[in-house]
Amino acid sequence: MPTIIERDLHMATGDGENSYTKNSRIQEKAIFQMKPVLEEATREVYTAVLPRTMVVADLGCSSGPNTLRFVSEVIGIIARSCKELGVKQHEYPQLQFFLNDLPGNDFNNLFELVDQFKKSTTGNRQGEAQPPACYISGLPGSFYARLLPCQSVHLFHSLFCLQWRSQAPGGLKGTGKTHQDKGDIYITKTMSPSVVKLFQQQFQKDFSLFLKLRYEELVFGGQIILTFIGRKYEDVFNGEPNHLYGLLAQSLQSLVDEGLLKKEKLDSFYLPIYSPSVGEVVAIVEQSGLFNMNHVKLFETNWDPYDDSESDVVQDSVRSGVNVAKCIRAVMEPLIASHFGETILDTLFKEYAQRVAKHLEKEKTKHAVIVLSMKKEN
C-alpha cells in the first residue's frame, strides 16, 4: 500500500453543499462539550506563566468557522482572566495564533474567514472585557513533524484530528487483501488479527511521535487539549467507527459488484485512521513520561450532527442517513477521489446514505469522543 499523499488528507474545500464549511456541525457540538476543559487549561497557562506574548497553535485547523470559534473562545478567556486579575489594558498579553493544517487545506477560505473575524472583533464592545491584541497566521505542515521552535508554544489545541494517522498502516504495502479481509477499509469483526495489529501499531507510533514533538515545542507549564474520535469499549472489534467505516466499505464494494470500480482499487485501499480507546490513549501518554494528564473523559454524540435528541430512536432515518453521508463526504472526499476518481463520488455517497439509513432504523449509533488535556511540568 503506498504512503498516503499529504495533499489528499484534507477536508472538502470551498463553501459548497458538500464542503467541510457547510458540514462541520459535529465539530461545533464538540467545541461546546470541551469548553470547560479549554477554559481551565487556558486560565492555568496564563496565570502560571503570565507571558507578554501568548502563543497558541490549533493543529489540524481545517477551513471552516469552527477554527475561529476556538480563537474567539481563547481571546474571551484571556480577556476575562485579565479583568479578574486586575491587569491593566496596556499590560494585556498579545495573542499569537498559528493555524496549522496540511498544505492541501483550503487556507484561502480560512484567511477570508480570518479577515471577517478581525473586522467583527474591532467593533464597539462597550461593557465587555476588551480583547487582547491578536495576530493570526497560517502554518502549513504535518503535525507528525516539528512545526515550531523549541519551548515557544503555551497552548496546543486539536479538534477531531488525532484519529488520522500519518499514513495507512505500515506493513500493508504490496499486500493484497485476503478473502477474510475482502472489501475492508477499516477494522471489522472479520478482519485478520495481523492486519488489526498493524492499525494499532501505526497509532502507537504516530501518537508517541506526536507527544514527543509537542513536548519539545511547549514551554514549561504549557498545555495541550486534544479532542478526537475514539471508541467506547476497549475491545478493538467493538467500536462505533467500525460500523461507520464498515458501511462505507460496503458501499464501495457495491460499486465493485456493479462494475463501477475495479476490485484491485478497493483491494489496495485502507483508511489512514485509528480510533483508540481511552485506555490505549492513557497507556501511551503514561509510557512517554512527558506530560501530566489533567483531564481525560469520553462523551457521546449522535452520528447525525443535526439530531440533538437523547432518544434511542431515530425519527427520520432517511434524513439522518443523508446528513451522516454529507458529514463523512466532507471529511473523506479528497482522499477517496484521489484513489478511486471523482466520477464515483455522487453514486458512492448516495449508496452510503441509504446504508446508513437502514443501519439507523435498527440501531441509533453515536460517536465516542475523547477529550484529553495535559500539562508539561517543570
Side-chain angles (χ1 to χ4, degrees), residues 3-4 49 80 83 123 155 157 168 175 197 208 219 223 225 254 280 291 331 356 366:
T3 300
I4 295 297
V49 182
R80 292 192 297 274
K83 190 175 182 180
L155 180 68
H157 168 262
T175 64
K197 188 174 182 180
S208 297
V219 301
Q223 300 215 20
I225 305 166
S254 73
E280 286 176 304
F291 296 98
V331 173
V356 171
K366 299 184 179 184

Side-chain angles (χ1 to χ4, degrees), residues 140-174:
S142 169
F143 52 58
Y144 292 119
R146 275 291 298 271
L147 293 166
L148 291 155
C150 289
Q151 298 187 33
S152 63
V153 182
H154 297 90
L155 180 68
F156 276 115
H157 168 262
S158 182
L159 177 67
F160 281 13
C161 296
L162 265 294
Q163 69 269 15
W164 287 99
R165 307 277 50 84
S166 63
Q167 61 177 55
L172 293 179
K173 185 176 181 180

Side-chain angles (χ1 to χ4, degrees), residues 2 6 35 37 51 95 127 156 158 196 232 247 274 291 302 362:
E6 285 189 354
K35 276 174 71 172
V37 181
L95 297 180
F156 276 115
S158 182
V196 174
K232 188 175 181 179
L247 292 169
Y274 182 78
F291 296 98
N302 294 327
K362 302 173 186 175

Side-chain angles (χ1 to χ4, degrees), residues 209-250:
L209 175 62
F210 177 88
L211 294 176
K212 175 180 178 292
L213 297 169
R214 303 295 82 83
Y215 180 85
E216 293 170 356
E217 293 164 342
L218 269 179
V219 301
F220 286 102
Q223 300 215 20
I224 304 181
I225 305 166
L226 306 175
T227 305
F228 52 97
I229 301 289
R231 68 174 190 274
K232 188 175 181 179
Y233 303 104
E234 290 300 321
D235 180 5
V236 69
F237 294 104
N238 187 12
E240 302 75 15
N242 305 31
H243 296 302
L244 191 71
Y245 304 133
L247 292 169
L248 184 60
Q250 292 170 23

Side-chain angles (χ1 to χ4, degrees), residues 171-184:
L172 293 179
K173 185 176 181 180
T175 64
K177 293 179 182 177
T178 66
H179 180 73
Q180 183 177 355
D181 300 326
K182 177 187 175 185
D184 289 344

Side-chain angles (χ1 to χ4, degrees), residues 23-181:
N23 295 283
S24 56
R25 189 166 188 265
I26 189 170
Q27 289 83 355
E28 179 184 346
K29 292 168 78 172
I31 289 175
F32 178 79
Q33 286 281 348
M34 53 80 71
K35 276 174 71 172
V37 181
L38 177 62
E39 176 101 21
E40 180 181 350
T42 306
R43 282 178 176 271
E44 188 173 320
V45 171
Y46 175 65
T47 55
V49 182
L50 291 175
R52 292 298 303 136
T53 299
M54 184 167 175
V55 177
V56 181
D58 188 16
L59 304 178
C61 64
S62 193
S63 56
N66 292 316
T67 300
L68 282 307
R69 289 192 180 98
F70 163 71
V71 170
S72 181
E73 287 291 337
V74 172
I75 292 172
I77 293 166
I78 296 300
R80 292 192 297 274
S81 297
C82 288
K83 190 175 182 180
E84 291 166 10
L85 291 169
V87 178
K88 295 177 182 178
Q89 182 78 38
H90 68 275
E91 295 177 341
Y92 276 19
Q94 300 178 99
L95 297 180
Q96 170 68 66
F97 289 91
F98 287 106
L99 308 182
N100 157 258
D101 212 317
L102 291 169
N105 183 52
D106 193 349
F107 280 102
N108 285 336
N109 186 62
L110 179 59
F111 292 151
E112 288 180 10
L113 292 173
V114 168
D115 188 53
Q116 296 168 18
F117 174 78
K118 286 183 175 180
K119 290 176 181 176
S120 70
T121 57
T122 55
N124 185 13
R125 299 173 62 97
Q126 189 173 0
E128 299 181 32
Q130 290 298 308
C134 170
Y135 304 90
I136 304 176
S137 303
L139 182 63
S142 169
F143 52 58
Y144 292 119
R146 275 291 298 271
L147 293 166
L148 291 155
C150 289
Q151 298 187 33
S152 63
V153 182
H154 297 90
L155 180 68
F156 276 115
H157 168 262
S158 182
L159 177 67
F160 281 13
C161 296
L162 265 294
Q163 69 269 15
W164 287 99
R165 307 277 50 84
S166 63
Q167 61 177 55
L172 293 179
K173 185 176 181 180
T175 64
K177 293 179 182 177
T178 66
H179 180 73
Q180 183 177 355
D181 300 326

